[in-house]
Amino acid sequence: VAPPQDLQITDPGLLGSLDIEWKPPPNIQNFNECTVKYKFEHRSTGDRDWKVIFTRKLKSRVGFDLSRTAEVKVRTLLEGQCTDGMEVQSDWIYATFQVPLQGKLESEVQNFHCIYHDWEYLKCTWQPGPRAPRDVHYGLYYWYEGLAHTAQCDDYIQDHGINIGCTLQNLTQAEYKDLSICVNGSAAATLLRPLYVTLRLHNLAKPSPPEQLVVSMSASEELHMTWSPPRGETPPQCLEYEVQLAEDRGQAKAAWASVSTQMETALTISRANQSRISCVRVRGRTNIFCADQGFWSEWTQECFPVPRKEDKQLFILIPVILGLSSSLLIFMLIGQCKKR
């Protein structure tokens, strides 16, 4: 079987989502008794592996890193009665696409970093390139499947009048999709290198700290801890928690030790060495069922004190002592009254 024809790559202006189209092989009408499919593979230059798509269509839209060359290849797959049930493959046809990169590499923004806070808003920050002039003006543009066209940030973070970050709201429709971003810059009489990145919001999520941490000691000296999921839009089923305990070492600084990483919001620890535990703290992040990675939240307050056995005993003794003192005082007053 012959390979497909006229493989073409076009840029619709969606910050890295490129349209790839091809035509069927010229002798396709001779294979009416067979199923014709296409094996389409793509990657950006420098990637080790090709990403594979099997399709019966003649086009596909795929995201690429526009700072590198896009590479694609397609072959025909034929299977059915006309091939006695065997799969027959054609040779590959290839195509590449490269956006002309303007400006020097040193003019590209540096330290680009994004966090998806509480699954509510995305905050991205960057630093001007070392070769960027003082009058530089940066703009952030983004697109994801579902937007009719690219959009520009409308809430910039500035430092001395220069845009060094952006906050994007209302990105629920972009979750679990490729979010394409371009940070471009302009300056008088100078060309600047744009930065292209593709993000996945769920892999950038950072929740707030867990709330309502309660620590108690049972009569059998088991340490009980309960807490509530953090505020915000983070799905509770997408959270896991790390619990740490600190031991009282007198004058020395307490050393924190992790005792559990779990998805439940309660933990019980046996009585071993309870007398030395002084503090408890908890933090959370997106679990492996909802993301490949994520950021840990901040800890709950630095030191949530643990009630000790001696503290509980003292708490019981105080009202007893007060009761005895009151009784003694009453007897003394009665005695004084009888003497009079």
Side-chain angles (χ1 to χ4, degrees):
V1 62
Q5 303 179 93
D6 300 330
L7 177 60
Q8 296 183 358
I9 305 174
T10 56
D11 182 5
L14 300 178
L15 308 181
S17 289
L18 304 180
D19 289 331
I20 296 93
E21 298 184 66
W22 59 89
K23 294 180 181 178
N27 57 344
I28 195 66
Q29 65 276 4
N30 298 332
F31 306 107
N32 293 329
E33 296 180 349
C34 276
T35 299
V36 179
K37 296 188 297 184
Y38 302 97
K39 185 177 182 180
F40 166 58
E41 298 188 11
H42 63 91
R43 69 179 181 184
S44 295
T45 298
D47 291 345
R48 179 178 178 180
D49 299 321
W50 294 82
K51 297 180 180 178
V52 182
I53 298 175
F54 293 93
T55 180
R56 299 183 66 175
K57 299 179 180 179
L58 297 172
K59 60 181 179 181
S60 182
R61 173 171 286 179
V62 179
F64 291 91
D65 178 0
L66 290 186
S67 63
R68 297 182 286 165
T69 300
E71 303 177 9
V72 300
K73 59 181 181 179
V74 185
R75 73 187 334 169
T76 308
L77 302 179
L78 199 63
E79 185 176 13
Q81 295 183 11
C82 65
T83 61
D84 294 329
M86 301 292 291
E87 183 180 78
V88 177
Q89 301 179 347
S90 73
D91 294 331
W92 292 103
I93 58 170
Y94 297 84
T96 60
F97 180 87
Q98 172 69 66
V99 173
L101 296 178
Q102 63 183 23
K104 295 182 179 180
L105 181 61
E106 294 80 8
S107 66
E108 182 181 276
V109 297
Q110 295 185 334
N111 299 326
F112 184 81
H113 182 69
C114 296
I115 296 178
Y116 193 36
H117 292 273
D118 293 318
W119 292 56
E120 290 182 350
Y121 64 93
L122 180 71
K123 182 178 180 181
C124 297
T125 58
W126 60 83
Q127 294 176 342
R131 294 292 183 89
R134 293 184 178 180
D135 63 340
V136 63
H137 175 77
Y138 290 112
L140 182 144
Y141 303 85
Y142 64 96
W143 180 86
Y144 56 86
E145 186 179 357
L147 287 181
H149 50 76
T150 55
Q152 182 177 182
C153 173
D154 57 7
D155 185 10
Y156 284 106
I157 303 167
Q158 293 191 331
D159 180 30
H160 296 91
I162 297 177
N163 294 339
I164 60 165
C166 168
T167 301
L168 297 177
Q169 307 275 357
N170 303 318
L171 293 176
T172 304
Q173 299 300 318
E175 292 173 2
Y176 295 99
K177 297 180 181 178
D178 286 339
L179 176 64
S180 300
I181 289 180
C182 173
V183 180
N184 204 353
S186 61
T190 303
L191 294 177
L192 302 179
R193 177 74 61 90
L195 171 74
Y196 295 98
V197 294
T198 301
L199 307 177
R200 283 293 185 103
L201 293 177
H202 55 281
N203 289 331
L204 301 171
K206 180 178 180 178
S208 295
E211 298 186 336
Q212 300 175 342
L213 175 61
V214 176
V215 182
S216 61
M217 190 80 74
S218 69
S220 59
E221 295 186 47
E222 286 185 327
L223 184 62
H224 298 285
M225 291 157 280
T226 62
W227 58 89
S228 299
R231 68 179 186 275
E233 298 300 321
T234 305
Q237 71 274 13
C238 287
L239 285 169
E240 67 175 352
Y241 302 96
E242 182 181 14
V243 181
Q244 282 192 342
L245 305 180
E247 291 187 351
D248 186 2
R249 297 187 175 182
Q251 298 294 332
K253 187 177 181 180
W256 292 98
S258 295
V259 295
S260 175
T261 300
Q262 59 183 48
M263 283 179 263
E264 293 78 15
T265 57
L267 179 65
T268 298
I269 298 178
S270 63
R271 58 186 296 171
N273 296 323
Q274 291 296 349
S275 61
R276 298 186 61 187
I277 296 176
S278 60
C279 294
V280 174
R281 64 184 182 182
V282 183
R283 64 179 180 174
R285 71 174 175 184
T286 308
N287 60 42
I288 60 174
F289 299 103
C290 296
D292 297 326
Q293 57 190 7
F295 297 104
W296 282 107
S297 73
E298 303 301 324
W299 292 102
T300 49
Q301 66 186 72
E302 182 63 23
C303 184
F304 197 103
V306 174
R308 300 170 183 246
K309 181 179 179 181
E310 54 266 29
D311 295 337
K312 295 174 69 177
Q313 292 174 341
L314 181 61
F315 182 77
I316 294 173
L317 285 175
I318 288 175
V320 173
I321 294 172
L322 289 175
L324 291 174
S325 300
S326 300
S327 300
L328 182 60
L329 181 60
I330 291 172
F331 285 129
M332 290 175 64
L333 290 174
I334 292 173
Q336 290 293 330
C337 290
K338 287 183 177 180
K339 287 180 180 181
R340 292 180 182 179

